Amino acid sequence: MQIENNQLLRFTTAGSVDDGKSTLIGRLLYDSKSIFEDQLESVSATSAKKGHKGVDLALFTDGLRDEREQGITIDVAYRYFTTPKRKFIIADTPGHIQYTRNMITGASTANAAVILIDARHGVIEQTKRHSFIASLLNIPHLIVCINKMDLVEYSEERFNQIIGQFEEFSSKLLMKDVRFIPISALDGDNVVNRSENMVWYQGGTLLNILETLHISSDINKIDARFPVQTVLRPQSEEHRDYRGYAGRVASGIYRVGDEVAVLPSGFTSKIRSINSGETEVEEAYAPMSIAMTLEDDIDVSRGDMIVRLNNQPEASQEFDVMLCWLGDAAARPRVKYTLKHTSNEQRAMIKEVIYKVDINSYDRLTEDKELNMNDIARVKIRCTRPLMLDSYRDNRNTGSIILIEENTNATVAAGMVV
């Protein structure tokens, strides 16, 4: 298979428990010929054992055996597939309310979210919750699949009714690009192949939309941010005086000769060279992994950030974030956690819980200040040293943090800088 476009699209799927999410992903993989023969044989055998007439498409995604036997889907399952136009990673997250943290984990790096709605039930509480999380995580593209259209006689009127319901509540959310598709995952209508039952729908199929989504503009190309992961000092005969700074470009574009500042020290210099692997290049952009050398010998270490002279993030020791609590135990205000932001690691505490969000009604709860698993709240965080921050809306890479419990090393929270 010849891949003409090497671009990778990450998308997450979300829906209520029986909206047909696993069937949809199975259909997508099956109809786009992305399933290995041994997988197909194994799933066909399991389907026959369970007494299904054809292949149970949901089994392609329910990979864990114990989960198959219980007939439920847990945790975040990642699936990879390729078409001639693009490579894809699917983060399949569970729909139940107690798995809000799983959805946040699976969706945090996604370019697009596919939200399923059962055509019989329309917009329900879980639809609102999943849409709120997609909006909170600033996912650029939202594809709303109205599934089980075969059970409502492929009604165009019902399809438009659900679009109306969705638009009514989503007007409060920040969403850039929303598309609606009427589908039947079970029969394959409008998933990979166009539906003959819904000729009134003139848009693309789900696969067609996923293959043609314009995602190169989703990366912030304006704010140049290069968090230093490690300092390279080879000390070899060939590179006796080499001192390079390695890491991944978080956003923006860097060119040889650019004037840069190193934060937090504020020292300035010019870029002497940029290497991508063994190759010397003239420019680097997100998300390339590179090594950079500077004209001047200044003190740069892991956790520092190399930025453009005239475009710098805000250095802040105290800031507000929208925090999703992932830990099993409740948050403890004023207890020290390890905070990770890009390649920077330091100690921090939750200084104050400003309000919690009821993710079903979007109401702000100012009385209840206790953070338990799956809670989302606006909190004030204080660090031991200033961090170089952008708002999450402007830059998903430099606007996100995680908190780690120091004793257990477990990640207990994920936050988006307000």
Side-chain angles (χ1 to χ4, degrees), residues 10-139:
R10 295 169 182 268
F11 69 95
T12 180
T13 57
S16 177
V17 184
D18 294 315
D19 284 347
K21 211 157 48 12
S22 296
T23 305
L24 174 66
I25 297 169
R27 171 63 68 192
L28 197 55
L29 298 174
Y30 186 69
D31 283 3
S32 63
K33 316 252 183 307
S34 302
I35 289 164
F36 296 117
E37 277 179 27
D38 58 339
Q39 256 182 317
L40 191 54
E41 282 165 18
S42 150
V43 166
S44 301
T46 311
S47 303
K49 205 159 61 181
K50 286 186 165 186
H52 296 301
K53 280 181 185 165
V55 175
D56 181 356
L57 296 166
L59 295 178
F60 289 124
T61 50
D62 294 352
L64 305 171
R65 185 159 291 170
D66 61 337
E67 162 186 327
R68 276 193 194 178
E69 282 161 9
Q70 292 174 50
I72 58 162
T73 319
I74 51 175
D75 215 323
V76 181
Y78 291 95
R79 291 286 169 272
Y80 306 85
F81 76 104
T82 299
T83 70
K85 295 208 176 120
R86 223 172 225 172
K87 294 176 182 174
F88 298 94
I89 297 179
I90 311 171
D92 179 22
T93 56
H96 316 59
I97 189 157
Q98 67 268 36
Y99 295 123
T100 299
R101 63 177 183 174
N102 302 56
M103 184 179 168
I104 293 234
T105 309
S108 59
T109 55
N111 305 94
V114 174
I115 291 185
L116 260 84
I117 296 177
D118 186 322
R120 297 167 303 173
H121 307 142
V123 168
I124 56 170
E125 222 161 71
Q126 266 161 315
T127 314
K128 294 181 180 178
R129 195 172 71 251
H130 295 146
S131 304
F132 172 75
I133 293 168
S135 162
L136 182 73
L137 290 168
N138 203 22
I139 296 176

Side-chain angles (χ1 to χ4, degrees), residues 50-344:
K50 286 186 165 186
H52 296 301
K53 280 181 185 165
V55 175
D56 181 356
L57 296 166
L59 295 178
F60 289 124
T61 50
D62 294 352
L64 305 171
R65 185 159 291 170
D66 61 337
E67 162 186 327
R68 276 193 194 178
E69 282 161 9
Q70 292 174 50
I72 58 162
T73 319
I74 51 175
D75 215 323
V76 181
Y78 291 95
R79 291 286 169 272
Y80 306 85
F81 76 104
T82 299
T83 70
K85 295 208 176 120
R86 223 172 225 172
K87 294 176 182 174
F88 298 94
I89 297 179
I90 311 171
D92 179 22
T93 56
H96 316 59
I97 189 157
Q98 67 268 36
Y99 295 123
T100 299
R101 63 177 183 174
N102 302 56
M103 184 179 168
I104 293 234
T105 309
S108 59
T109 55
N111 305 94
V114 174
I115 291 185
L116 260 84
I117 296 177
D118 186 322
R120 297 167 303 173
H121 307 142
V123 168
I124 56 170
E125 222 161 71
Q126 266 161 315
T127 314
K128 294 181 180 178
R129 195 172 71 251
H130 295 146
S131 304
F132 172 75
I133 293 168
S135 162
L136 182 73
L137 290 168
N138 203 22
I139 296 176
H141 310 279
L142 199 63
I143 302 165
V144 181
C145 289
I146 296 164
N147 190 22
K148 306 193 181 180
M149 287 298 290
D150 50 313
L151 302 180
V152 294
E153 273 86 59
Y154 305 104
S155 160
E156 183 179 7
E157 191 186 339
R158 181 62 183 147
F159 176 66
N160 291 330
Q161 214 174 7
I162 294 170
I163 292 177
Q165 288 175 0
F166 189 91
E167 287 176 340
E168 190 182 329
F169 84 85
S170 67
S171 59
K172 298 177 197 163
L173 305 175
L174 288 164
M175 291 183 178
K176 297 171 191 164
D177 175 27
V178 185
R179 298 154 194 240
F180 299 91
I181 315 174
I183 65 165
S184 164
L186 197 62
D187 301 333
D189 292 87
N190 288 334
V191 179
V192 172
N193 305 310
R194 287 197 71 81
S195 167
E196 288 173 12
N197 298 306
M198 292 178 276
V199 287
W200 46 264
Y201 171 70
Q202 295 300 307
T205 63
L206 174 60
L207 183 64
N208 172 259
I209 288 174
L210 289 169
E211 283 184 333
T212 54
L213 272 183
H214 182 61
I215 58 170
S216 52
S217 60
D218 296 343
I219 294 172
N220 180 328
K221 295 195 180 77
I222 297 162
D223 305 314
R225 306 284 184 259
F226 180 61
V228 176
Q229 281 182 12
T230 188
V231 179
L232 303 176
R233 296 294 304 274
Q235 305 288 2
S236 63
E237 279 299 319
E238 199 184 338
H239 302 288
R240 193 171 285 279
D241 298 318
Y242 183 89
R243 186 187 173 91
Y245 310 108
R248 174 183 269 193
V249 180
S251 60
I253 300 169
Y254 289 87
R255 295 184 179 87
V256 174
D258 280 354
E259 291 198 345
V260 291
V262 177
L263 300 180
S265 68
F267 289 127
T268 61
S269 185
K270 279 186 177 175
I271 299 175
R272 178 189 287 162
S273 70
I274 300 172
N275 277 74
S276 173
E278 299 289 303
T279 318
E280 199 160 310
V281 293
E282 281 302 306
E283 66 171 29
Y285 45 86
M288 284 170 69
S289 296
I290 60 161
M292 181 189 288
T293 64
L294 302 178
E295 296 279 359
D296 304 278
D297 191 9
I298 53 182
D299 184 22
V300 182
S301 52
R302 177 181 167 84
D304 288 353
M305 195 180 280
I306 299 175
V307 301
R308 283 271 177 73
L309 219 50
N310 56 357
N311 176 339
Q312 300 191 13
E314 193 180 326
S316 218
Q317 212 169 330
E318 196 171 292
F319 50 92
D320 287 9
V321 296
M322 291 302 292
L323 197 74
C324 175
W325 192 256
L326 313 172
D328 296 321
R332 294 173 300 160
R334 300 196 169 268
V335 164
K336 289 281 195 308
Y337 293 98
T338 299
L339 181 148
K340 280 192 82 167
H341 169 259
T342 65
S343 57
N344 198 331

Side-chain angles (χ1 to χ4, degrees), residues 325 327 329-332 334-340 344-350 382-385 402-413:
W325 192 256
R332 294 173 300 160
R334 300 196 169 268
V335 164
K336 289 281 195 308
Y337 293 98
T338 299
L339 181 148
K340 280 192 82 167
N344 198 331
E345 222 171 275
Q346 52 177 283
R347 298 182 85 199
M349 66 177 182
I350 298 170
R382 183 166 178 82
C383 303
T384 45
R385 292 188 310 280
I402 58 169
L403 295 181
I404 297 164
E405 174 82 68
E406 293 192 330
N407 304 332
T408 61
N409 214 24
T411 301
V412 290

